[in-house]
Amino acid sequence: MKKVAKETEIVHGTHSAHSTSMDLVPPIHMTSTFRFKNADHGAGIFQGTSEGYVYTRISNPTVDLLQEKIAVLEQGESAIATSSGMSAIASVSLALAKPGDNFIACSTVYGGTFALFNKHLRDFKIEPRFVYPSSYASKDRIEALVDENTRFLYMETPANPTLDVADIGLWASVAKPHNIPLIVDNTFASPYLQRPLTLGADIVVHSATKYLGGHGDLIGGIIVGTKKMTDHIREEYVTHYGPIMSPFNAWLISRGIKTLAVRMEKHSSNALKIAQWLEGHSKVKKVYYPGLVSHSGHHIAKKQMKKFGGMIAFEVKGGIPAGKIIMDNVKLCILAVSLGDCETLIQHPASMTHSTYTREERAKAGISDGLIRLSVGIEDPDDIIADLDRTLSL
Ligand code: LCS
């Protein structure tokens, strides 16, 4: 069959109907274990000589369907669905690095990722080497941090919460000659807007809690890469530490992904309109949105993203007190962390999602105390603008 468009792949996925029930939507396999036909069949599955499922911590048909779907979307060979975005990042890190090793990461990442890297991996004697500021780092500055114990490079683009854009191809050009994998957290963009594996990355991770699920009703994570790489991560970490996704969450994410293209189009067009409006507002000091020509990473974003996504950060004149007035008085926008939901969410990174950084670390990573983050939903953009406009004039 002729290769179909991305939007078509997203709707159809990879499953074919069950031969008897002929469901349009595949059922949820809520089972912890699976029957063997006989003792030889069971033993054969364990040895890899017979086909079949064993136990849901190892694999499950509903989770497999989601993994196949995401692998297709990200143009990877294989994927692993995990219990959360954090468990995806922890699984990859701990599968690739051991005590005495180090890795290089961009300095502006989700606050939970920063805590994992800067505290918990350090406890395991795995050293993070942050690139400050990371988004527009030259090849030489990244290269200077590599040594024989460097096990991976890690970047988030666009980054949480500053929307800094890092050049995936440039980071890949440092990783490749050393044969070190480049990991990209593609949560903010989703595979609809950006496909890091086609730009030189080796592994993609996601918080599926966000745009992939799309409806704010679950927690989940994804790892995508070559089959060799995902087999290694499974064997080294996932199977025996057990951070796997439940079949119910996998089913919900498969359902959410069907509307990924239309949601990302609407998130992106809404966010662009709101960012342009904020930029023109007299009470707004600075707007961070990769779709704005004024954004320092606009040219890179244009090169590696289809559109610019639904996340905006901005600073208002009057700093934290002025920001609090907005957060305490919005009516349509909801004061909550997380992102990528249908509803517009607003939050304050310094005191919320990025409070895992010290003030000095935040300053070095470019996360100002007055920064407000907006996850633009799929409502009518004029209603979101009206809500923000009212609070900005209080
Ligand atoms: N990667 C990114 C870019 C994230 O934004 C998050 C969570 C994670 C990984 C971790 O995923 P989780 O385990 O939560 O599924 N970001 C959040 C945020 O900005 N607010 O609340 C969670």
Side-chain angles (χ1 to χ4, degrees):
M1 199 173 96
K2 178 178 161 290
K3 187 149 174 32
V4 295
K6 219 188 285 184
E7 289 83 347
T8 313
E9 271 174 19
I10 291 174
V11 173
H12 283 260
T14 54
H15 79 279
S16 41
H18 184 275
S19 56
T20 317
S21 59
M22 297 292 281
D23 324 79
L24 170 67
V25 175
I28 316 177
H29 293 264
M30 287 305 281
T31 182
S32 24
T33 198
F34 298 84
R35 297 167 200 244
F36 304 133
K37 291 172 194 155
N38 53 44
D40 280 347
H41 175 231
I45 297 175
F46 272 86
Q47 281 158 17
T49 51
S50 300
E51 295 248 317
Y53 287 92
V54 170
Y55 186 60
T56 284
R57 175 160 45 71
I58 298 167
S59 59
N60 172 284
T62 310
V63 179
D64 278 0
L65 275 184
L66 172 67
Q67 292 174 164
E68 285 163 22
K69 194 166 184 161
I70 303 258
V72 169
L73 287 182
E74 286 288 5
Q75 290 188 13
E77 285 173 15
S78 173
I80 305 173
T82 58
S83 55
S84 66
M86 284 316 304
S87 67
I89 300 165
S91 302
V92 175
S93 308
L94 289 166
L96 297 183
K98 302 294 169 208
D101 290 341
N102 68 68
F103 64 97
I104 297 164
C106 62
S107 58
T108 315
V109 289
Y110 165 56
T113 308
F114 185 75
L116 171 75
F117 287 177
N118 203 38
K119 160 135 190 28
H120 303 287
L121 293 187
R122 274 192 204 281
D123 289 346
F124 283 109
K125 306 278 178 275
I126 298 168
E127 181 206 350
R129 297 182 173 176
F130 293 107
V131 184
Y132 288 105
S134 19
S135 42
Y136 314 111
S138 67
K139 203 173 157 180
D140 291 349
R141 252 187 337 108
I142 308 167
E143 178 85 47
L145 298 172
V146 179
D147 67 20
E148 71 281 6
N149 294 323
T150 305
R151 292 292 168 261
F152 61 88
L153 266 55
Y154 185 97
M155 64 189 285
E156 213 180 270
T157 185
N160 189 352
T162 55
L163 280 303
D164 275 7
V165 174
D167 189 327
I168 298 172
L170 182 133
W171 281 64
S173 73
V174 178
K176 284 272 162 337
H178 294 280
N179 213 12
I180 305 169
L182 170 64
I183 305 167
V184 177
D185 184 329
N186 200 26
T187 300
F188 269 36
S190 91
Y192 180 69
L193 298 180
Q194 174 174 277
R195 289 178 161 176
L197 299 178
T198 65
L199 301 166
D202 302 285
I203 300 175
V204 163
V205 291
H206 278 280
S207 168
T209 315
K210 314 293 168 13
Y211 292 107
L212 294 176
H215 295 77
D217 49 11
L218 59 93
I219 300 284
I222 298 288
I223 303 164
V224 195
T226 58
K227 171 134 181 18
K228 190 170 167 212
M229 186 64 86
T230 53
D231 281 354
H232 174 74
I233 295 165
R234 250 183 223 291
E235 280 153 27
E236 273 293 303
Y237 192 87
V238 178
T239 299
H240 294 119
Y241 283 78
I244 52 97
M245 181 180 282
S246 97
F248 184 55
N249 281 11
W251 185 86
L252 280 175
I253 297 167
S254 289
R255 182 170 76 151
I257 284 177
K258 284 192 190 185
T259 56
L260 183 68
V262 282
R263 284 187 287 107
M264 293 317 294
E265 287 287 341
K266 180 72 172 152
H267 284 299
S268 299
S269 64
N270 276 4
L272 182 61
K273 184 167 186 185
I274 293 164
Q276 284 167 340
W277 173 80
L278 280 169
E279 202 170 37
H281 198 289
S282 59
K283 296 258 184 84
V284 175
K285 199 164 111 192
K286 187 152 185 188
V287 184
Y288 303 81
Y289 182 66
L292 293 176
V293 180
S294 60
H295 188 277
S296 48
H298 179 65
H299 60 292
I300 306 170
K302 241 172 115 173
K303 189 175 73 174
Q304 63 191 23
M305 297 177 78
K306 182 182 163 81
K307 289 198 172 156
F308 306 102
M311 299 301 295
I312 301 176
F314 63 101
E315 289 165 38
V316 284
K317 291 177 186 161
I320 298 177
K324 272 192 178 161
I325 293 177
I326 299 174
M327 288 184 286
D328 288 344
N329 288 285
V330 280
K331 290 207 167 85
L332 182 77
C333 304
I334 297 166
L335 180 57
V337 298
S338 203
L339 59 109
D341 298 342
C342 295
E343 299 84 354
T344 297
L345 307 178
I346 191 166
Q347 67 106 15
H348 178 230
S351 67
M352 297 174 187
T353 50
H354 290 72
S355 55
T356 50
Y357 285 70
T358 63
R359 199 158 189 221
E360 296 70 45
E361 285 160 349
R362 272 199 304 277
K364 272 166 65 182
I367 307 166
S368 68
D369 282 348
L371 197 75
I372 295 173
R373 195 190 72 184
L374 201 63
S375 168
V376 177
I378 58 169
E379 305 95 334
D380 187 309
D382 292 338
D383 289 331
I384 305 166
I385 288 175
D387 197 32
L388 294 172
D389 196 28
R390 189 180 42 74
T391 61
L392 278 165
S393 52
L394 289 173

